[in-house]
């Protein structure tokens, strides 16, 4: 059996040597250029079918890779004229590799993006899927908001692979050991800090109430206070320096109180890595995660996990039910119709839905959700219930869909470095935040010209 995937580190050199069918010049289908619909199968020469070869890249752990590769195998069985070579790696470094490949014209035909899809749409490197809609790509059963999410600059360039909502993952087993009740929706950030310290104090040395998620929750915090990270409608940052300071001060105070994972442990045990997270090992009781990650985490630990909504701020939770991540096509792909056909398979095929489950979020089509509900695991049922609660909350306290700001990868690095400077005591919160804000403005301006 042929190998279905290659780790990103291994493929980097090979990609530099060959575009693997993506070196096209004329006939580019980047957003903003003409994109005539092609055939839905492999080309035929002399009555014999030529094999179409596509490359696909995503981020995630080994569990996600296994599920994705099974789905790829099913697609190839149903479409014998198309083969797909997969490449995957951890989220850290993923976008650096993708950007390198895009710059050299050797990007995969299909790749996954998150809220930073705006960056790539603005660069004009994404395949315009409009010509394939209602042909190779059927969106009739897809949630309208998800279609809107992937439509940027008037062009459909992104297909959501799953929908989710961020929330607090709770290690219930740790709470039981500490003799503390599991928090409920409606709590606030003072509650969060207090409970974090109580967990650490009652369980003792080496146990922590929470990971530090200053960066990952910044947009949530801003929305809870009437601001936002990126004001896409007006194409500008949605906050000022003064809006940031209280959030960084909150985490500094909570950390010094003893309820937060130390900076060195956070670096060596990333909260989003299911193979290393201290939530899994029963050393950290809470952290912020997308709902689609719960099942993966639960499958790797005997501790019981659950999810609650994030603590409330003045204007509510600031969380929306949105695209977790999605699929885009490379504008220079020589096989755009086949790319669209794969996307259609991903969101509409019930067998694919059963393989993929909720690993990347709740399915974005009603038929795929129905295919999963009958055989939902206990963890999946928690996710369905949680996302339903978030959806109902949004009806009363609506918030705008979040897109990452231009230069998001640089922004995240800057924010993480700022958190570490504060955590390791290298700079005061005030100085670090001032530098962070000025650096953010520079990143935004340099990526928004």
């Amino acid at each position: 059996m042929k190998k279905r995937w290659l780790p990103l580190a291994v493929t980097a050199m090979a990609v530099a040597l060959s575009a693997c069918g993506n070196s096209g010049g004329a006939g580019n289908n980047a957003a903003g250029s003409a994109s005539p619909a092609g055939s839905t199968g492999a080309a035929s020469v002399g009555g014999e079918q030529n094999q179409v070869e596509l490359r696909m890249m995503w981020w995630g752990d080994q569990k996600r890779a296994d599920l994705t590769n099974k789905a790829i195998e099913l697609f190839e069985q149903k479409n014998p004229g198309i083969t797909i070579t997969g490449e995957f790696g951890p989220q850290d470094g993923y976008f650096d590799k993708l950007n390198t490949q895009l710059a050299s014209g050797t990007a995969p035909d299909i790749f996954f993006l998150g809220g930073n899809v705006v960056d790539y749409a603005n660069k004009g490197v994404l395949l315009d899927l409009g010509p394939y809609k209602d042909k190779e790509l059927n969106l009739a059963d897809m949630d309208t908001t998800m279609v809107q999410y992937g439509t940027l600059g008037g062009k459909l360039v992104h297909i959501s692979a799953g929908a989710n909502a961020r929330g607090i993952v709770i290690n219930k087993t740790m709470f039981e050991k500490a003799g503390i009740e599991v928090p409920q929706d409606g709590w606030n950030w003072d509650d969060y800090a207090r409970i974090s310290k109580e967990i650490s104090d009652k369980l003792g040395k080496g146990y922590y109430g929470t990971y530090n998620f200053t960066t990952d929750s910044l947009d949530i915090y801003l929305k809870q206070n009437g601001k936002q990270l990126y004001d896409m409608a007006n194409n500008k940052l949605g906050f000022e320096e003064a809006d940031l300071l209280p959030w960084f001060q909150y985490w500094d105070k909570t950390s010094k109180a003893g309820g937060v994972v130390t900076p060195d442990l956070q670096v060596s045990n990333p909260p989003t890595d299911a193979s290393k997270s201290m939530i899994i090992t029963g050393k950290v009781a809470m952290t912020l995660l997308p709902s689609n990650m719960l099942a993966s985490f639960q499958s790797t630990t005997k501790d019981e996990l659950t999810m609650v909504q994030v603590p409330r701020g003045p204007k509510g939770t600031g969380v929306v039910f949105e695209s977790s991540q999605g699929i885009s096509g490379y504008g220079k792909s020589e096989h755009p119709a086949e790319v669209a056909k794969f996307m259609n398979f991903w969101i509409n095929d019930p067998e694919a839905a059963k393989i993929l489950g909720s690993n990347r979020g709740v399915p974005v089509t009603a038929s795929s959700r129905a295919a999963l509900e009958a055989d939902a695991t206990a963890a999946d049922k928690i996710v369905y219930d949680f996302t339903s609660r978030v959806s109902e909350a949004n009806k009363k306290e609506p918030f705008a869909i979040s897109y990452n700001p231009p230069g998001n990868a640089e922004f995240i690095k800057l924010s993480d470095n700022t958190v570490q400077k504060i955590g390791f005591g290298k700079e005061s919160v005030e100085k670090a935040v001032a530098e962070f804000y000025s650096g953010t403005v520079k990143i935004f301006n340099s990526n928004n010209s």
Side-chain angles (χ1 to χ4, degrees):
M1 181 179 293
K2 78 180 184 70
K3 185 176 288 186
R4 297 285 174 186
W5 58 268
L6 293 171
L8 290 179
V10 176
T11 59
M13 183 177 296
V15 168
L17 297 174
S18 171
C20 295
N22 289 335
S23 59
N28 283 3
N29 292 303
S33 60
S35 306
S39 63
T40 58
S44 178
V45 178
E48 295 183 2
Q49 193 177 49
N50 291 333
Q51 194 75 9
V52 169
E53 296 183 4
L54 303 176
R55 283 175 45 229
M56 172 173 153
M57 190 164 84
W58 69 92
W59 73 82
D61 57 14
Q62 186 61 51
K63 179 177 177 61
R64 176 172 291 171
D66 292 341
L67 295 174
T68 304
N69 287 319
K70 287 182 181 178
I72 289 174
E73 290 178 358
L74 177 63
F75 176 79
E76 291 176 339
Q77 291 170 11
K78 294 188 174 187
N79 298 273
I82 306 173
T83 59
I84 297 177
T85 299
E87 307 165 18
F88 82 97
Q91 187 169 3
D92 289 345
Y94 171 85
F95 290 104
D96 290 337
K97 291 181 174 67
L98 177 59
N99 293 340
T100 298
Q101 294 182 14
L102 286 167
S104 63
T106 59
D109 301 89
I110 305 165
F111 47 85
F112 280 76
L113 298 172
N116 58 352
V117 63
V118 177
D119 276 354
Y120 297 88
N122 289 342
K123 292 175 184 176
V125 297
L126 304 183
L127 177 67
D128 179 5
L129 298 167
Y132 310 100
K133 186 178 178 182
D134 299 325
K135 298 174 184 175
E136 292 83 4
L137 181 58
N138 179 7
L139 304 181
D141 195 35
M142 188 175 181
D143 293 336
T144 303
T145 55
M146 295 296 98
V147 178
Q148 293 173 347
Y149 183 89
T151 304
L152 298 165
K155 295 183 181 295
L156 180 65
V157 294
H158 188 69
I159 300 299
S160 292
N164 70 7
R166 286 175 291 173
I168 304 299
V169 169
I170 302 283
N171 185 315
K172 290 180 66 176
T173 303
M174 287 185 66
F175 272 79
E176 291 172 0
K177 288 180 180 179
I180 299 174
E181 290 187 8
V182 173
Q184 303 296 312
D185 295 349
W187 56 334
N188 59 38
W189 289 108
D190 287 339
D191 296 328
Y192 194 87
R194 173 181 52 79
I195 293 172
S196 296
K197 178 171 172 51
E198 287 180 3
I199 287 284
S200 298
D201 289 346
K202 291 192 175 184
L203 294 182
K205 186 177 180 180
Y207 292 89
Y208 304 90
T210 182
Y211 270 105
N212 185 323
F213 46 83
T214 307
T215 297
D216 291 344
S217 58
L218 187 53
D219 184 55
I220 291 173
Y221 168 77
L222 290 170
K223 285 182 175 178
Q224 289 185 354
N225 289 273
K227 304 287 184 173
Q228 58 184 323
L229 190 61
Y230 176 41
D231 181 358
M232 187 173 175
N234 297 300
N235 192 27
K236 66 178 184 179
L237 293 174
F239 62 93
E240 302 291 338
E241 180 182 331
D243 300 316
L244 301 173
L245 187 58
W247 189 233
F248 283 82
Q249 289 174 328
Y250 170 87
W251 281 101
D252 181 54
K253 180 179 179 181
T254 306
S255 297
K256 288 177 178 176
V260 184
V261 172
T262 59
D264 55 330
L265 282 175
Q266 176 126 354
V267 171
S268 59
N269 301 274
T272 58
D273 187 339
S275 66
K276 296 180 180 180
S277 173
M278 295 170 72
I279 292 281
I280 301 303
T281 57
K283 297 295 184 179
V284 177
M286 301 183 290
T287 196
L288 178 77
L289 285 178
S291 57
N292 62 293
M293 296 187 72
L294 180 71
S296 177
F297 271 54
Q298 184 62 81
S299 69
T300 59
T301 182
K302 293 181 179 180
D303 287 3
E304 186 178 357
L305 307 180
T306 191
M307 288 195 78
V308 299
Q309 293 187 54
V310 298
R312 294 175 58 83
K315 295 186 179 297
T317 65
V319 173
V320 295
F321 188 52
E322 59 188 4
S323 175
S324 57
Q325 56 180 267
I327 317 172
S328 286
Y330 184 31
K332 293 183 179 180
S333 173
E334 294 182 352
H335 308 290
E338 287 76 11
V339 169
K341 191 171 186 179
F342 178 79
M343 293 178 179
N344 183 76
F345 161 83
W346 189 280
I347 63 172
N348 289 314
D349 190 289
E351 292 180 76
K354 290 181 179 180
I355 290 173
L356 296 165
S358 299
N359 184 266
R360 287 180 172 88
V362 178
V364 295
T365 57
S367 58
S368 291
R369 285 196 292 270
L372 295 185
E373 287 175 359
D375 300 316
T377 65
D380 285 335
K381 289 178 180 177
I382 290 174
V383 172
Y384 295 151
D385 178 65
F386 171 75
T387 52
S388 294
R389 299 198 318 265
V390 171
S391 179
E392 287 301 312
N394 284 337
K395 294 176 182 178
K396 300 175 182 177
E397 299 171 336
F399 293 93
I401 291 176
S402 297
Y403 289 98
N404 292 339
N408 185 64
E410 298 171 71
F411 169 79
I412 290 175
K413 288 181 181 179
L414 178 63
S415 182
D416 285 344
N417 287 339
T418 302
V419 172
Q420 290 178 13
K421 285 180 181 178
I422 296 171
F424 284 112
K426 294 181 178 180
E427 287 187 356
S428 67
V429 178
E430 292 75 15
K431 181 181 179 182
V433 169
E435 293 175 351
F436 171 57
Y437 180 72
S438 62
T440 297
V441 172
K442 290 179 181 177
I443 290 171
F444 181 84
N445 289 338
S446 66
N447 285 275
N448 197 39
S449 57

